[in-house]
Amino acid sequence: MRLELSAEDAAFREEMRTFFTTQVPQSIRDTVAAREELSKEQIVESQRILNAAGLAVPGWPVEWGGQDWTPLQRHIWHEEMQSACVPLPLAFNASMVGPVIAAYGTQEQKETFLPQTANLDIWWSQGFSEPDAGSDLAGLRCAAVRDGDEYVVNGQKTWTTLGQYGDWIFNLVRTNPEAEKKQAGISFLLIDMTTPGVEVRPIELIDGGHEVNEVWFTDVRVPAANLVGAENQGWDIAKFLLGNERVGVAPVGAVKRVLAHAKEWVGEETLRDPLVAARFAAIENELLALELTALRVVAHSADGKPHPASSVLKLKGSELQQEVSDLVVELAGPGSLASGAGDDSGVPGWARVATPAYLNLRKASIYGGSNEIQRQIIARTILGL
Amino acid sequence: MDFEYDDEQQALRDAVRGLLTKAYGDFEKRRTATRGERAYDPDVWRQLAEMGVLGLPFAEADGGMGAGPLEVGIVAEELGRVLAPEPFLTAVVLAGGAVAAAGTDAQRAALLEPLAAGESLLAWAHDEPGHGYTSSASATKASQEGDGWMLTGTKEPVVSGEHADVLVVTAALPDGPSTGSGGAGTGLFTVAADAAGLTRTGYPTHDGGRAALITFDGTPAEALGEGADATAVVERVLDQARVAAAAEALGLISEALSATRDYLTSRKQFGVTLNTFQALTFRASDMYVDLELTRSLVLWAAMVLDAGSPEEASVAASRAALQVATAGKRVGQEAIQLHGGIGVTAEYSVGHRLSRLRALEAQLGDARLHTARLAGRVASYGEVDPLP
């Protein structure tokens, strides 16, 4: 048992740290540090810088731009990026649809989509959830009916994050309503969002921001060539995608960074308040335990088998993310009420965004498989209950 | 970076687990042992000695195995798994650790070899009534008497002190250097159990052990080492014990969860097994989260203790202690609740697990102490970096 990084991994960490802190524009990193909303242009610019250096999609197959890194190196890459306030590569592209196309796509689909997906030339949206299909995803109804060389899509998707920027959407659609098991009648379809009949409608959230959308499909005609995998194989593909989504899902680096910034924001005098200091100490301890658990999982996953403890990462990671956001609201005090004030406000920016950020992060224990789903997974698959 | 035990460590774990499962795999045997005169099984103690466990952390020259905190943790975790009542933590880690750290060559030879051989039991006489968690002593005072030393005062509770052959005692030095708390410096002494002016009154403790009130009245004592202020040694020994206790707690909660899982899948109510009820299984899932986070932090603390500076080791000890104080209590309490009434009966092990968890906390510091120790430092750094 050994805690230190090997010389090679330590050098790798240094290389990542240097790249992220020198090659990604300070203005973008400042936006992340201030917990402000990134513009589409900032996200695209950042990902293109990473992609040019081979750092946008290291998890992909090497021939499509991936890196032959160890799980630990991928972990270091991920943590250092967060620590340097670099926006993570767009998850819909980098960790969702990209790996799916690489694993299930035709050669033509790979050549058409993968380079553009890695470089964020295409901004992908996710079309999974529906009003009646959230945690029970297999209950989805959005239908695709084969008509010659095309599918005709009708239905509605919801919670489509950043769908307002989407160029394409990867959709789970029902292709066989008669299937005995509802999982068996689903397909995975790529849809150009400029196709007639696609309509994106914003959903306003409690933090006042516009982050998620409804997407409506009315007689949308999609070339059958945009089907990924076989017809009615969509559920297998979705499970593959969601499995990837869970990897690296504990935002340890980002939460640690916010906690460290919070110390700077409030200053030493506030940190001398014993109750404040005790709260920092307690959260830091749990965060350290989580980070070490992530490292244990990574160190163990070298043989390709997921570590059973990986299921705690999403659960505890989201809880701690929320707890830190709650702490920041308390530290902001009455200043947190100035959430709508402009830049001429006397209240510092971090305090003004504290409550919107806290409210926004209520989503963390809901998306990506709610924490109740995670508890169910632990109970069933790990504890055998 | 690597969080797995090597072959030797696994062999140690297998050997200790084998011995202890045979001894206490049947919980009734543990109950029998704790009702005995010493509250542990002298036979098991002897077997642990034969296996080399009682000399594990001591230098080979002192009759030990020269092992580190990871190996001590392996043993402690296995003891926790079966709730073994043997006084490994107090005799080996605390009392033995103090002798190893402060004793002269002659003292180490005289005390550690018989301890490792299971021939002589050492006890750690440090706590004093009403003094809370401190690394200094004040109710027991040392004075110089010719060439030697003499102790007067009280130590309580002294775990396993009733049957120890030698007591390792902390005592306030007559005019030693001031400590941070304004008191006199604290020295480390050894006292033979049959020394003049020593009285001891034994009693059972809630976790199945025994402790004693020990009074000294002009009792002859031998200073460990030079007889100088040993506060720093006491602090280091306490930190080592905190990490070992955290490993024991890990074993305790790991098996508390196992027992709970087994119970939920076998116990029927309303005609179905309890795992049919999601309200119960979700609570078990949260126990699992606590267990895994605790395992990570405990392994990490042992590694830091092994390789880090004394200050890093002290912080790591507090981190592990805080984690087991909070997560351990949560898991221990939940295990009882999910078992229902049987969980609070003496014949069933889960209740005793919480009792032992609370005893470890009482001996080495609770969440309040360790939160305070950590809170005092939060302004001095930005992020916690787990890697050295």
Side-chain angles (χ1 to χ4, degrees), chain A residues 72-312:
Chain A
L72 177 59
Q73 287 174 321
R74 276 177 67 182
H75 177 84
I76 291 170
W77 162 80
H78 193 249
E79 293 302 299
E80 290 299 325
M81 208 161 26
Q82 293 179 72
S83 178
C85 297
V86 171
L88 299 181
L90 191 68
F92 310 110
N93 288 38
S95 43
M96 296 186 189
V97 78
V100 162
I101 293 174
Y104 292 91
T106 62
Q107 186 63 22
E108 193 187 341
Q109 285 170 338
K110 290 177 192 177
E111 284 168 14
T112 308
F113 291 112
L114 290 178
Q116 298 190 73
T117 299
N119 205 44
L120 203 37
D121 297 333
I122 295 176
W123 183 298
W124 285 95
S125 290
Q126 181 182 31
F128 274 24
S129 296
E130 296 182 12
D132 289 326
S135 293
D136 183 15
L137 184 59
L140 61 89
R141 287 204 295 250
C142 181
V145 177
R146 185 79 182 235
D147 180 20
D149 287 344
E150 292 178 325
Y151 285 99
V152 180
V153 178
N154 278 285
Q156 182 198 351
K157 293 290 173 181
T158 191
W159 309 127
T160 308
T161 302
L162 302 179
Q164 68 268 37
Y165 303 145
D167 301 309
W168 282 71
I169 185 166
F170 51 95
N171 243 22
L172 285 179
V173 289
R174 187 159 297 285
T175 36
N176 179 7
E178 312 297 326
E180 207 160 295
K181 267 189 81 183
K182 56 187 182 175
Q183 284 85 350
I186 294 170
S187 298
F188 195 98
L189 200 57
L190 310 177
I191 303 175
D192 182 341
M193 291 176 79
T194 60
T195 316
V198 178
E199 190 196 346
V200 178
R201 299 180 191 165
I203 300 172
E204 204 179 326
L205 295 183
I206 49 175
D207 64 346
H210 172 199
E211 190 174 63
V212 289
N213 305 270
E214 293 176 341
V215 183
W216 294 76
F217 301 88
T218 312
D219 294 328
V220 176
R221 304 194 74 87
V222 181
N226 290 358
L227 178 75
V228 179
E231 192 171 282
N232 298 324
Q233 196 196 357
W235 190 249
D236 290 339
I237 300 176
K239 279 196 297 186
F240 170 83
L241 181 151
L242 294 170
N244 289 335
E245 192 187 25
R246 216 175 294 138
V247 173
V249 80
V252 177
V255 181
K256 274 173 74 175
R257 188 235 307 143
V258 174
L259 199 59
H261 282 167
K263 291 180 182 178
E264 291 171 21
W265 294 333
V266 300
E268 278 199 38
E269 197 186 325
T270 301
L271 286 179
R272 275 198 292 273
D273 177 330
L275 291 182
V276 170
R279 186 117 188 256
F280 270 96
I283 296 177
E284 279 183 345
N285 223 44
E286 288 207 289
L287 207 47
L288 172 63
L290 180 69
E291 180 171 13
L292 291 164
T293 303
L295 285 168
R296 262 176 70 215
V297 168
V298 166
H300 191 77
S301 60
D303 58 4
K305 273 183 297 182
H307 192 290
S310 59
S311 50
V312 312

Side-chain angles (χ1 to χ4, degrees), chain B residues 306-324:
Chain B
D306 195 29
S309 67
E311 202 212 335
E312 287 167 337
S314 161
V315 172
S318 270
R319 294 202 174 284
L322 173 58
Q323 174 68 17
V324 297

Side-chain angles (χ1 to χ4, degrees), chain A residues 1-4 72 256-257 263 284-285 288 291-293 296 300 315 372 375-376 379 383 385, chain B residues 1-5 261 275 278 282 285-286 292-293 295-296 300 319 378 381-384 386:
Chain A
M1 206 171 291
R2 186 174 54 89
L3 198 56
E4 314 87 70
L72 177 59
K256 274 173 74 175
R257 188 235 307 143
K263 291 180 182 178
E284 279 183 345
N285 223 44
L288 172 63
E291 180 171 13
L292 291 164
T293 303
R296 262 176 70 215
H300 191 77
L315 184 51
E372 286 66 35
R375 287 188 175 89
Q376 186 88 332
L383 299 177
L385 293 174
Chain B
M1 192 185 32
D2 170 20
F3 284 76
E4 304 293 315
Y5 292 125
R261 179 196 54 209
N275 63 322
Q278 195 177 55
F282 273 25
S285 298
D286 284 335
E292 287 298 341
L293 295 179
R295 184 179 304 285
S296 304
W300 172 83
R319 294 202 174 284
V378 293
Y381 56 86
E383 293 184 4
V384 176

